[in-house]
Amino acid sequence: MIFEYAAAPESRSVVKIDPVYGHFINGKWVNGSSHFNSINPATEEVLSQIALGTAADVDAAVKAARNAFDKSWSKLSGRERGKYLFRIARIMQERAREFAVLETLDNGKPIRESRDVDVPLSAAHFFYHAGWADKLEYAGVDTTTAPHGVVGQIIPWNFPLLMLAWKVAPALATGNTVVLKPAETTSLTALLFAQVCQQAGLPDGVVNIVTGDGSTGSAIVNHPGIDKIAFTGSTEVGKLIARAVAPTNKSLTLELGGKGANIVFGDAAIDETVEGIVNGIFFNQGHVCCAGSRLILQESIADEVLEKLKRRMDKIRVGDPLDKNTDLGAINSAEQLAKIRELTAAGEAEGAGRWSANCELPTNGFWFAPTIFTGVTQAHRIAREEIFGPVLSVLTFRTPAEAIEKANNTPFGLSAGIWSEKGSNILWATQQLRAGVIWANTFNKFDPASPFGGYKESGWGREGGRHGLSAYLKGSAK
Ligand code: NDP
């Protein structure tokens, strides 16, 4: 007998979404001159109208941030700054349900993830950095160092609130002020965060949020009043930003794409590994820069792992992101769905074997069934390019050296996973892998104390931990 799950929808009554939003500049709401729709990707319902930031809006925000830096924020002691950060963290916890429901409506991710991962981790980032604000001299950073001043921060749509927290918390803890632009498709939790800044009594102009599209991001990058840029997003835009910043004195950190290798050795505990593979690629619809999107399986166990993986994938519940039973939500936008479809079509055309879970997809909104490709070779686009969706490319290996060779054969170097019962095997593999973050017998674990970042085209610099703090201070880590 098969038992079906009864629907368990989270109520959306906890959130209040305004029909139109302006920018948050100098502690106040400023009307935009034109607007675009923010939609719920699970239903295509228009949630709100978001202001399209112009160069003049960015200029006003940079001036407010400079003024706040000169007159208030840089004059406060670390202890005082820390108090504001603690206050923000506590308010985020108090309003956690509101943030989680809003994130799920705006982004399409399952409520289970926004409630249990995005929002608690965002608050944790503020708590963690609140603790550092008055202890920077013990963080291993140069004690003679100073904040950059005004920091421009541009974030993507896959973890809207969490990426805001990764950027804003260390910037404020180290004494910088901020002009932040959320992604076009996911501005709502950043605008709710602006309300939290007001509620916390943060001095005007310390955090400014200008919504908009790529042109707004570009206006931030090119503004002469910005001292540092912190960007998370595609490698393509990261390269544009690096070129724009190169002839200036601006500092830059880039957190870009990935094509993470998840290597399974023949001695791995197979049932646990299958759970780890699922978490590695189907968490957040695979919209994860550090996703384990290339499964590199030892040939001796490949058939058994793939059979168990397919059985497990058939049990992934795809559907209403607000339903507490849902495992896989909506693809964030029509553009992203088109990109996933283009790359998966290329996978088939180039000869890889496609298999998708047997699930019913909703008719409205943007959806993609969990999918794997077998028989993938290094030459295939699906082995080289970031799909950024619930799609896994499977490669096999015979010797450990071949596994490492395949894992490192990528222009990226953000994350990797190793599955093996043998500690020596794990230690050997971690030394060979060119990846900024390596998980052993687990995947996609995040902690504010742990630095995150990549090699090669995955970016420059680290976010989180003591290493992330030093990126917000002039001078380098000791
Ligand atoms: P982008 O890199 O375009 O977006 C990231 C942020 O940069 C957004 O806020 C975006 O604004 C902004 N932006 C866009 N163009 C410029 C510019 N010229 N100057 C400054 N800022 C700019 O990523 P996409 O959303 O287009 O996604 C494309 C692909 O990138 C995905 O398919 C995925 O492969 C990868 N990606 C990787 C992420 C990661 O975490 N590493 C995150 C997101 C995407 P706006 O949203 O308004 O366009």
Side-chain angles (χ1 to χ4, degrees):
M1 186 189 282
I2 295 174
F3 290 98
E4 291 296 333
Y5 279 83
E10 174 68 70
S11 165
R12 59 185 281 180
S13 65
V14 65
V15 299
K16 184 184 152 295
I17 303 177
D18 292 344
V20 182
Y21 284 92
H23 308 292
F24 182 67
I25 298 174
N26 206 24
K28 310 197 174 45
W29 294 99
V30 176
N31 290 338
S33 41
S34 63
H35 297 83
F36 55 88
N37 288 341
S38 190
I39 64 166
N40 177 344
T43 59
E44 296 173 65
E45 166 202 0
V46 175
L47 294 171
S48 184
Q49 301 253 298
I50 307 294
L52 177 61
T54 61
D57 297 320
V58 169
D59 188 50
V62 173
K63 284 190 174 126
R66 172 68 54 197
N67 194 42
F69 179 76
D70 290 342
K71 303 229 169 91
S72 64
W73 200 243
S74 64
K75 302 228 169 359
L76 287 186
S77 65
R79 187 158 176 264
E80 289 304 313
R81 288 198 308 273
K83 280 190 200 167
Y84 284 107
L85 289 170
F86 275 123
R87 219 177 281 165
I88 289 171
R90 282 195 299 267
I91 297 170
M92 287 175 90
Q93 283 187 322
E94 280 162 20
R95 300 181 73 170
R97 196 151 153 249
E98 200 179 340
F99 269 112
V101 173
L102 190 60
E103 195 74 303
T104 285
L105 285 170
D106 202 22
N107 170 280
K109 64 176 70 201
I111 186 73
R112 203 163 51 79
E113 290 179 4
S114 48
R115 182 195 64 197
D116 298 347
V117 182
D118 296 64
V119 178
L121 263 181
S122 300
H125 270 269
F126 278 94
F127 277 119
Y128 175 79
H129 288 96
W132 272 127
D134 63 346
K135 302 176 200 70
L136 292 175
E137 61 267 44
Y138 305 109
V141 295
D142 185 348
T143 46
T144 58
T145 201
H148 289 281
V150 178
V151 181
Q153 306 186 317
I154 300 165
I155 55 171
W157 43 262
N158 53 340
F159 292 94
L161 182 69
L162 186 58
M163 289 302 106
L164 175 151
W166 277 31
K167 299 255 178 304
V168 174
L172 298 194
T174 45
N176 299 277
T177 57
V178 163
V179 176
L180 176 127
K181 189 197 92 67
E184 191 176 343
T185 58
T186 54
S187 304
L188 293 180
T189 46
L191 296 167
L192 182 58
F193 178 79
Q195 294 177 24
V196 169
C197 293
Q198 286 181 316
Q199 201 180 335
L202 194 69
D204 292 345
V206 172
V207 169
N208 302 275
I209 296 176
V210 182
T211 51
D213 63 8
S215 66
T216 317
S218 177
I220 294 176
V221 169
N222 291 299
H223 196 292
I226 296 266
D227 301 304
K228 174 196 158 70
I229 294 288
F231 172 80
T232 298
S234 63
T235 298
E236 194 190 350
V237 173
K239 285 181 181 173
L240 285 177
I241 294 176
R243 270 187 219 114
V245 164
T248 72
N249 280 334
K250 289 172 191 155
S251 231
L252 178 63
T253 41
L254 296 171
E255 203 269 276
L256 309 176
K259 193 75 189 171
N262 207 359
I263 305 172
V264 185
F265 287 99
D267 67 340
I270 291 189
D271 290 343
E272 285 166 32
T273 304
V274 166
E275 283 308 307
I277 296 167
V278 167
N279 177 37
I281 185 62
F282 301 120
F283 167 61
N284 203 36
Q285 294 70 247
H287 299 329
V288 184
C289 47
C290 55
S293 54
R294 286 182 301 149
L295 178 63
I296 305 190
L297 278 180
Q298 188 138 23
E299 261 184 28
S300 54
I301 50 153
D303 289 345
E304 185 183 355
V305 171
L306 288 174
E307 194 209 312
K308 287 190 166 172
L309 178 62
K310 288 177 183 172
R311 219 183 304 147
R312 175 68 180 81
M313 282 169 65
D314 266 336
K315 297 206 161 37
I316 293 176
R317 291 179 295 263
V318 184
D320 180 7
L322 274 180
D323 190 321
K324 289 170 218 157
N325 296 317
T326 295
D327 298 314
L328 195 96
I331 300 303
N332 180 255
S333 64
E335 292 72 36
Q336 190 58 29
L337 182 58
K339 185 182 166 192
I340 297 169
R341 285 184 174 151
E342 188 217 318
L343 276 164
T344 48
E348 276 184 280
E350 289 178 349
R354 178 178 185 151
W355 183 91
S356 294
N358 182 19
C359 60
E360 219 174 283
L361 300 179
T363 45
N364 288 337
F366 316 124
W367 302 91
F368 201 89
T371 296
I372 56 174
F373 278 95
T374 49
V376 177
T377 72
Q378 292 293 127
H380 289 148
R381 280 182 73 193
I382 54 169
R384 291 182 282 120
E385 295 178 35
E386 190 174 40
I387 303 175
F388 225 62
V391 182
L392 181 65
S393 299
V394 185
L395 298 92
T396 56
F397 69 94
R398 288 184 185 167
T399 63
E402 187 190 351
I404 301 296
E405 172 67 30
K406 285 187 169 163
N408 285 339
N409 188 356
T410 165
F412 299 109
L414 191 54
S415 69
I418 304 164
W419 296 84
S420 172
E421 289 288 79
K422 233 177 162 190
S424 58
N425 207 16
I426 291 170
L427 292 174
W428 172 82
T430 50
Q431 283 167 354
Q432 317 298 315
L433 287 168
R434 296 275 292 158
V437 183
I438 302 173
W439 288 288
N441 293 327
T442 186
F443 212 93
N444 275 338
K445 288 278 179 286
F446 305 99
D447 189 286
S450 174
F452 184 92
Y455 286 81
K456 301 191 275 184
E457 292 198 7
S458 291
W460 294 342
R462 295 291 179 267
E463 292 189 301
R466 293 189 298 112
H467 304 73
L469 279 174
S470 61
Y472 282 95
L473 292 163
K474 287 185 205 156
S476 54
K478 270 200 271 187

